[in-house]
């Protein structure tokens, strides 16, 4: 199975992605060593901030962090798609990297008067300050273009143009404002807490980098290979085993990847050969792989990057956000499980023999890989900050890796270097025959993981810095509230009924987040949607937690939303299926994830799906939602107790929608529709069984 991945270096590049970014350069040895050393120093700086924060405050740290990470983007990412081998940075790249270092660190450098003097000039920046801020702005936008494409920088420029020219708009226009001169705009970006050094960059510099490092350490310890082996061994030999394995492996691999698309690529390279042997059509297999990959970042304990921003915006703990995600995760995987069962029957899938020990034997050999995940959950439950919890979990994963290397020296049965790394070509050229060699190999592997974690987070860092441009403009101009009021006004123009207004506003918001997610990365999509669309739902009485999770899910689902659907495109590239058909199959698998978040915000009972109600409410709301998901599976899969025809599917569609509108009356009607569909199906199925029997008796 690993040979498939080893033969596809393009897949390996994509698997290293943390956002929807372009592949990084393949640097030559000299530049690669320099970037490795710089990234390692940055990782140590981040760890230092966890246990020994800078006395001058978090913004001082963020200035240094952005100043030292931004240059690496210009070394690691090319300006254009074409590349050479080795793909080293040119003179322009080196010049931009130096400029990024100087402009980024300018607020703390002595020739600018130092950090305290820079803060004292807030609101009255000098000419040099404005010049440095302008250079930093341009470099942040170019870094974002290199890592994620042109759309987000263009959006930032449009917001900047609005901030500058908004004062020239007719004052009777709702979006008109007093206007800001250029120095005020630069000051807002460079010196205010809502600009470059706002919450998004703060989250990237703490949570995201540390969790990326954790994933790299966990992967280098052999966790990735163990998760895949365990998933294959768990379901063994049955016709639904390949599909179940893909879903389970995707969920587990999400702990070592920060991207749904990256998980899809890694998962597909391993499981597609098995799905193919089982008889899965290319497009259906691609849809399953993409849905499983996206599920990884919708699921605790390691949710996507935007989940950390939720915790910061709502001033709550990340553990609380994890709790909110539990039932939606169960409903999501219920939908995938039902789709797998249906597809296995529709396509006549058959069992595939996989040469692995029993699940128990695999679990005994690698159960320690779950220890670090358990530490994260336990520490978060103890109200320990997530960045501290993940550092301890990383340490535990690293120590287990060291123990495995030490035991491998003595050739302990069941352990060996072949289990330590889930990477193509990871076999050491020379076995580690002494404890000293094992220790040296472990130190190098740990250093590699620390550096890899920082390099993997570079696209997210660029996106978060660019998102500061948008949030700063929205905060200064009040644009977010204006657009939110316009959204609600549009809904009220259609109906004056409060419930209808809420439904329409939710639908408009869902469409807006989906369209936004087609153009910008998940993290930026969530940030923009929160400041623009969030106020509309909050004004209609929806609670902040429900609004945040609703936006979060739709921002993540942009990776499987046609016509871009990056995860589906990646899956189609692996299976060789038609891209658009793979997208629609992915949509079929992920449909519950599109509808369940709407249930959060339509009624007060939706809070129970986030475990924000009592046990009784949580129970009946979960059961009703699960039945709604099952009804959706019948609609999209065309199967109940056997092939479902249009009458049953037509009844199941309103049943699903009514069951997910979590009010007793609508749930009762939904149950009646679902019962009617079941009766119609059983009667029709009974006729198809009886008629052949009559024909046989006549013969």
């Amino acid at each position: 199975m690993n040979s498939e991945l080893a033969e596809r270096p393009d897949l390996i590049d994509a698997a290293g992605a943390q956002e929807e970014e372009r592949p990084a350069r393949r640097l030559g040895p000299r530049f690669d060593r320099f970037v490795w050393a710089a990234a390692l120093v940055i990782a140590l700086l981040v760890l230092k901030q966890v246990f020994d924060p800078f006395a001058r405050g978090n913004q001082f740290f963020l200035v240094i962090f952005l100043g030292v990470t931004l240059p690496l983007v210009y070394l690691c990412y090319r300006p254009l798609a074409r590349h050479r081998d080795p793909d080293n940075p040119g003179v322009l790249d080196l010049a931009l990297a130096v400029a990024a270092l100087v402009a980024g660190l300018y607020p703390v450098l002595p020739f600018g008067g130092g950090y305290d003097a820079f803060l004292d000039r807030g609101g009255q920046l000098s000419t040099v300050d404005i010049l440095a801020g302008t250079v930093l702005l341009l470099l942040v936008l170019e870094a974002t273009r290199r890592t994620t494409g042109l759309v987000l920088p263009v959006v930032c420029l449009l917001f900047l143009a609005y901030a500058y020219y908004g004062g020239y708009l007719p004052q009777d226009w709702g979006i008109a404002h007093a206007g800001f001169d250029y120095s005020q705009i630069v000051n807002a970006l460079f010196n205010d807490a809502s600009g470059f050094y706002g919450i998004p960059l703060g989250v990237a510099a703490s949570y995201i980098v540390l969790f990326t490092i954790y994933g790299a350490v966990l992967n280098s310890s052999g966790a990735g290979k163990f998760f895949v082996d365990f998933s294959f061994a768990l379901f063994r030999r049955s016709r639904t085993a390949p599909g179940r394995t893909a879903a389970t492996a995707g969920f587990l691999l999400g702990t070592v990847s920060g991207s749904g698309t990256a998980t899809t690529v890694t998962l597909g390279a391993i499981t597609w050969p098995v799905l193919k042997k089982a008889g899965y059509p290319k497009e259906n297999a691609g849809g399953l792989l993409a849905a499983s990959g996206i599920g990884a970042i919708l699921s605790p304990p390691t949710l996507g990057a935007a989940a950390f921003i939720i915790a910061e915006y709502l001033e709550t703990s990340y553990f609380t956000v994890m709790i909110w995600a539990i039932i939606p995760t169960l409903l999501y995987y219920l939908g995938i499980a039902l789709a797998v069962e249906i597809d296995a029957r529709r396509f006549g899938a058959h069992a595939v023999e996989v040469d692995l020990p029993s699940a128990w034997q695999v679990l005994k050999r690698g159960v320690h890989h779950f220890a670090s995940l358990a530490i994260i959950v336990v520490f978060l439950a103890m109200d320990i900050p997530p960045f501290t919890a993940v550092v301890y979990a990383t340490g535990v994963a690293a120590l287990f890796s060291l123990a495995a290397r030490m035991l491998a020296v003595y050739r302990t049965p069941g352990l060996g270097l072949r289990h330590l790394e889930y990477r193509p070509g990871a076999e050491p050229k020379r076995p580690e025959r002494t404890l000293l060699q094992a220790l040296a190999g472990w130190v190098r592997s740990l250093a590699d993981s620390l550096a890899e974690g920082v390099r993997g987070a570079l696209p997210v860092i660029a996106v978060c810095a660019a998102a500061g441009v948008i949030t700063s403009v929205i905060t200064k101009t009040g644009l977010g509230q204006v657009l939110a009021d316009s959204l609600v006004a549009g809904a009220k123009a259609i109906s004056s009924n409060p419930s209808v207004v809420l439904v329409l506003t939710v639908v408009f918001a869902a469409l807006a987040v989906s369209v936004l997610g087609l153009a910008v990365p998940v993290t930026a999509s969530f940030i923009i949607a929160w400041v623009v669309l969030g106020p509309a739902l909050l004004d209609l009485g929806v609670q902040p937690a429900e609004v945040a999770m609703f936006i979060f899910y739709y921002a993540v689902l942009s990776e499987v939303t046609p016509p871009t659907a990056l995860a589906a495109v990646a899956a189609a590239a692996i299976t060789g299926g038609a891209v658009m058909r793979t997208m629609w199959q992915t949509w079929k698998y992920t449909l519950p994830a599109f509808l369940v978040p709407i249930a959060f915000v339509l009624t007060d009972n939706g809070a129970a799906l986030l475990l924000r109600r009592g046990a009784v409410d949580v129970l009946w709301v979960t059961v009703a939602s699960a039945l709604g998901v099952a009804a959706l599976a019948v609609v999209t899969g065309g199967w109940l107790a056997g092939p479902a025809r249009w009458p049953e599917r037509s009844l199941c569609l309103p049943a699903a929608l009514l069951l997910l509108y979590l009010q007793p009356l609508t749930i009762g009607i939904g149950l009646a529709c679902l019962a009617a569909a079941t009766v119609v199906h059983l009667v029709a199925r009974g006729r198809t069984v009886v008629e052949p029997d009559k024909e046989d008796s006549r013969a």
Side-chain angles (χ1 to χ4, degrees):
M1 290 184 290
N2 284 357
S3 61
E4 178 80 11
L5 187 59
E7 295 168 0
R8 296 288 304 275
D10 56 315
L11 300 184
I12 300 165
D13 279 348
Q18 296 301 318
E19 279 277 343
E20 299 91 328
E21 77 273 13
R22 298 176 177 184
R25 281 185 166 115
R26 290 178 176 272
L27 297 173
R30 183 179 303 175
F31 278 101
D32 191 58
R33 284 194 295 269
F34 176 80
V35 170
W36 176 87
L40 178 59
V41 171
I42 293 171
L44 297 176
L45 174 69
V46 173
L47 292 174
K48 183 260 182 200
Q49 179 67 8
V50 172
F51 297 104
D52 183 25
F54 286 101
R56 294 191 175 186
N58 191 57
Q59 186 167 334
F60 180 82
F61 164 67
L62 293 180
V63 170
I64 297 175
F65 178 79
L66 183 60
V68 295
T69 53
L70 194 59
L72 293 186
V73 175
Y74 289 95
L75 299 180
C76 294
Y77 289 84
R78 62 185 73 93
L80 300 174
R82 60 179 181 270
H83 62 278
R84 306 173 301 276
D85 191 19
D87 192 10
N88 290 328
V91 175
L92 178 61
D93 300 312
L94 295 175
L96 292 176
V98 172
L101 181 67
V102 175
L105 295 178
Y106 170 79
V108 300
L109 292 177
F111 63 77
Y115 183 65
D116 293 336
F118 178 76
L119 292 181
D120 291 340
R121 294 194 299 272
Q124 296 180 334
L125 298 182
S126 67
T127 303
V128 179
D129 294 338
I130 295 173
L131 177 61
T134 302
V135 171
L136 182 60
L137 170 62
L138 295 175
L139 290 169
V140 165
L141 295 181
E142 170 60 11
T144 307
R145 186 197 67 80
R146 290 189 179 209
T147 55
T148 63
L150 190 60
V151 175
L152 183 55
V154 170
V155 171
C156 291
L157 290 173
L158 291 175
F159 272 91
L160 290 170
Y162 169 71
Y164 187 78
Y165 292 107
Y168 296 99
L169 296 174
Q171 291 304 302
D172 57 342
W173 288 18
I175 61 173
H177 58 83
F180 298 92
D181 62 37
Y182 186 70
S183 64
Q184 290 175 307
I185 295 174
V186 173
N187 182 76
L189 298 175
F190 207 25
N191 210 322
D192 283 3
S194 61
F196 294 134
Y197 312 116
I199 288 178
L201 185 63
V203 170
S206 53
Y207 304 104
I208 296 174
V209 169
L210 290 171
F211 270 85
T212 308
I213 290 173
Y214 166 68
V217 171
L218 197 63
N219 194 38
S220 69
S221 70
K225 183 181 188 308
F226 162 71
F227 290 151
V228 173
D229 287 351
F230 180 64
S231 300
F232 274 111
L234 188 62
F235 297 108
R236 303 304 298 174
R237 183 178 171 85
S238 71
R239 63 180 178 179
T240 59
R244 294 176 183 176
T245 296
T248 304
F251 171 76
L252 294 174
L253 284 173
T255 60
V256 296
S257 170
S259 166
T261 303
T263 303
T264 299
V265 171
T266 306
L267 178 67
I270 304 300
T271 60
W272 162 235
V274 178
L275 292 172
K276 184 178 180 180
K277 290 180 181 178
Y280 272 77
K282 296 177 181 179
E283 290 79 11
N284 292 79
L288 174 59
L289 294 172
S292 300
I294 292 301
I297 56 173
L298 291 173
S299 310
T302 51
L303 296 163
F308 300 106
I309 298 177
I310 292 176
E312 291 295 315
Y313 278 163
L314 299 187
E315 297 181 349
T316 188
S317 67
Y318 177 68
F319 181 75
T320 301
V321 178
M322 282 174 46
I323 295 297
W324 293 344
I326 289 176
I327 292 180
T329 297
L330 295 176
L331 294 174
Y332 181 81
Y333 279 99
L334 172 63
I336 291 182
L338 292 173
V340 166
E341 297 294 326
I342 289 172
D343 282 354
R345 288 160 175 77
R346 285 182 60 199
F347 307 136
H350 51 268
V352 176
E353 188 67 39
V354 179
D355 184 18
L356 279 173
S358 68
W360 175 243
Q361 290 176 317
V362 175
L363 181 62
K364 285 193 299 182
R365 190 173 64 198
V367 68
H368 59 275
H369 292 300
F370 289 115
S372 58
L373 293 173
I375 286 175
I376 291 178
V377 175
V378 171
F379 278 22
L380 291 176
M382 296 169 60
D383 207 23
I384 294 175
F387 44 82
T388 304
V390 74
V391 170
Y392 286 123
T394 303
V396 169
L399 289 176
F400 273 120
S401 176
L402 175 61
R405 286 178 180 271
M406 295 292 189
L407 291 173
V409 172
Y410 295 104
R411 302 185 182 277
T412 304
L415 286 173
L417 290 180
R418 65 184 182 279
H419 301 299
L420 293 179
E421 297 199 42
Y422 176 57
R423 299 176 184 173
E427 290 283 346
K429 294 181 180 178
R430 290 181 298 177
E432 294 168 352
R433 300 187 182 279
T434 68
L435 292 179
L436 185 59
Q437 288 178 342
L439 180 60
W442 174 78
V443 171
R444 179 55 191 261
S445 176
L446 181 59
D448 287 344
S449 297
L450 292 172
E452 181 185 336
V454 172
R455 291 182 69 168
L458 289 177
V460 186
I461 294 168
V463 166
C464 288
V469 175
I470 298 170
T471 56
S472 178
V473 172
I474 290 175
T475 301
K476 294 296 182 184
T477 61
L479 178 64
Q481 189 62 53
V482 172
L483 295 178
D485 292 341
S486 300
L487 187 66
V488 176
K492 289 182 177 179
I494 299 174
S495 175
S496 59
N497 184 288
S499 296
V500 176
V501 169
L502 177 59
V503 171
L504 291 173
T505 304
V506 168
V507 172
F508 293 160
L511 292 174
V513 179
S514 298
V515 172
L516 180 64
L518 300 179
V520 299
V522 171
T523 305
S525 177
F526 173 81
I527 294 169
I528 297 171
W530 173 255
V531 296
V532 174
L533 303 174
L537 297 174
L538 294 172
D539 289 345
L540 292 176
V542 184
Q543 294 302 305
E546 283 82 347
V547 174
M549 295 301 287
F550 165 77
I551 295 175
F552 168 71
Y553 276 93
Y554 270 89
V556 171
L557 290 169
S558 65
E559 290 199 15
V560 292
T561 302
T564 55
L566 291 175
V569 171
I574 295 170
T575 64
V579 173
M580 289 305 300
R581 289 175 62 186
T582 301
M583 288 184 184
W584 288 114
Q585 289 298 324
T586 304
W587 185 80
K588 177 191 77 173
Y589 279 102
T590 58
L591 185 58
F594 282 93
L595 294 185
V596 170
I598 293 179
F600 299 163
V601 294
L602 286 184
T603 68
D604 292 339
N605 293 323
L609 289 175
L610 304 182
L611 294 175
R612 286 167 44 82
R613 289 287 187 272
V616 174
D617 288 340
V618 169
L619 179 61
W620 71 262
V621 164
T622 302
V623 171
S625 300
L627 291 173
V629 170
L632 281 175
V634 175
V635 175
T636 58
W639 193 277
L640 196 51
R645 301 178 303 171
W646 70 263
E648 302 101 288
R649 297 170 79 174
S650 299
L651 285 168
C652 283
L653 179 59
L657 298 177
L658 290 167
L659 286 165
L660 290 172
Y661 191 87
L662 300 171
Q663 294 285 23
L665 177 60
T666 56
I667 290 175
I669 299 174
L671 287 173
C673 290
L674 185 59
T678 304
V679 171
V680 169
H681 178 74
L682 292 177
V683 170
R685 183 172 170 77
R687 288 176 180 173
T688 59
V689 172
V690 170
E691 289 175 0
D693 290 344
K694 289 182 178 179
E695 292 178 1
D696 291 342
S697 62
R698 289 171 186 170

